[in-house]
Amino acid sequence: MRRVTVKTPGTCGEYIQGWYDGSPCLVSSPIDRYSRIILEEGPGNIECLKLKTKKLVEAVFRHFAIPQPEMEHLHVTMTSEIPLEKGMASSTADIAGMAAGLSAYFNLGLTPKEIGALCTTIEPSDNLMFEELNLFNHISGSVLKEFDGTVSADIMIVDFHGGIDTMTFNETQDDYSPEDLETFAEIVAQFEQGVRTNSLKDIGAACTKSAILNQKRLNKNYLDCLIGLSRDFGGLGTVIGHSGTVIGIMYDKGDFQEEDFHKAFKKFVPDSVYAEIYHNRLIPGGIKIITETV
């Protein structure tokens, strides 16, 4: 009996997001918080999946002309530790993981680029399916620019109350002024340099600038406060859910004054405005798959 196990990372939103060369785009920030899927032979239960995941399965079956009886004998188990509607890529992790799992299960040979393009036919998607970073058109699924490397750092994520519908948000994000476009081009260049030289300082600075630029589109009440606290206590920069509610502080354990940060955070940010604080790692992206016969 075939069994495929899939592990897909969520994100702390995006390192950067904006418009570049006339296209909407982003660079997701994968973290060690995962969606997990098991595909195996058994009672078919595709009808029980979330709507977007079910649409992805149907799209794969249709595109590759997989016989319908295969769906009737495909049993799926899904679990996730990624919070919903926070800008942490819970939906993309599910549908990208499902695409990768179906590819392994039916030997379809889907590449990360093909998975990314497939996901964007279902909804605007993050580019967490790629191991190395790239500038990704989250609407069309095309890759605008590839970066030579990944990011690894600690991140403290503040999960503020509320939720954002990604589909609705992305319908209104074409209002960048010429000044905004110039600023974002500079952000892309600084981020690219940071990745190429492995400079967390440059990466963090680019992320913070992108977060500030995004305030015109989705204001975060405590962003300025957290940017200041990050600067004062040795953080590297802020990483936000551009279409979500989370704000993350990048840091290096050797330089970050975590205890002092928390004391100041408690002073300036009321308990009532956030749900939880997560401590995670920024990691390379990519979907991990185990295929076995049981």
Side-chain angles (χ1 to χ4, degrees):
M1 184 171 73
R2 291 171 290 177
R3 177 184 291 167
V4 172
T5 303
V6 185
K7 181 174 147 181
T8 309
T11 71
C12 177
E14 301 77 28
Y15 290 118
I16 61 175
Q17 180 170 333
W19 278 69
Y20 188 82
D21 279 352
S23 297
C25 56
L26 54 75
V27 184
S28 297
S29 52
I31 59 173
D32 57 347
R33 188 173 284 267
Y34 300 96
S35 165
R36 292 178 170 86
I37 302 173
I38 297 174
L39 303 174
E40 58 192 334
E41 294 177 46
N45 64 342
I46 300 303
E47 294 299 323
C48 300
L49 299 178
K50 295 176 185 177
L51 180 59
K52 293 174 184 177
T53 310
K54 181 173 176 286
K55 285 183 176 180
L56 187 283
V57 174
E58 291 171 343
V60 171
F61 268 71
R62 185 167 55 250
H63 181 77
F64 289 96
I66 301 171
Q68 185 65 24
E70 290 281 3
M71 188 181 295
E72 296 168 3
H73 297 287
L74 181 62
H75 188 81
V76 180
T77 304
M78 298 185 68
T79 59
S80 180
E81 55 196 31
I82 308 168
L84 305 177
E85 296 185 341
K86 299 294 185 177
M88 298 180 73
S90 58
S91 291
T92 299
D94 284 348
I95 63 176
M98 180 61 74
L102 291 171
S103 177
Y105 192 84
F106 292 110
N107 196 28
L108 305 177
L110 287 173
T111 65
K113 282 188 178 182
E114 290 168 333
I115 290 172
L118 184 60
C119 287
T120 57
T121 67
I122 306 299
E123 67 166 359
S125 298
D126 293 271
N127 58 342
L128 49 79
M129 65 286 297
F130 296 91
E131 290 188 12
E132 292 204 328
L133 297 168
N134 61 47
L135 193 62
F136 182 73
N137 185 325
H138 51 287
I139 306 299
S140 72
S142 60
V143 174
L144 305 181
K145 177 186 283 285
E146 294 182 339
F147 301 113
D148 185 20
T150 59
V151 177
S152 294
D154 290 293
I155 188 163
M156 179 189 304
I157 304 168
V158 185
D159 178 1
F160 285 92
H161 287 306
I164 304 296
D165 181 274
T166 304
M167 295 283 284
T168 303
F169 175 83
N170 279 288
E171 289 173 355
T172 61
Q173 299 309 300
D174 57 354
D175 60 342
Y176 285 74
S177 68
E179 293 78 15
D180 291 342
L181 295 174
E182 183 178 346
T183 297
F184 190 70
E186 293 169 356
I187 289 169
V188 172
Q190 184 173 27
F191 182 82
E192 183 174 22
Q193 175 179 312
V195 173
R196 184 177 63 252
T197 61
N198 198 29
S199 169
L200 290 175
K201 182 178 179 180
D202 279 339
I203 292 168
C207 294
T208 301
K209 291 174 185 176
S210 184
I212 294 169
L213 183 62
N214 195 64
Q215 286 286 77
K216 298 178 182 179
R217 287 152 193 91
L218 184 60
N219 185 70
K220 292 175 171 53
N221 291 332
Y222 290 91
L223 178 63
D224 288 345
C225 175
L226 289 179
I227 289 173
L229 293 178
S230 173
R231 180 188 61 243
D232 292 346
F233 297 105
L236 294 163
T238 55
V239 181
I240 68 166
H242 289 71
S243 60
T245 62
V246 292
I247 301 177
I249 306 297
M250 282 179 60
Y251 66 96
D252 181 280
K253 287 182 178 178
D255 299 321
F256 189 51
Q257 303 164 47
E258 187 170 347
E259 185 175 342
D260 291 337
F261 175 93
H262 277 291
K263 287 179 181 177
F265 178 87
K266 288 292 185 183
K267 181 179 179 181
F268 293 109
V269 182
D271 290 345
S272 60
V273 302
Y274 67 94
E276 198 168 347
I277 297 177
Y278 310 117
H279 291 83
N280 286 101
R281 285 281 299 172
L282 291 162
I283 61 171
I287 302 171
K288 305 297 186 291
I289 298 174
I290 298 174
T291 302
E292 56 190 331
T293 302
V294 296

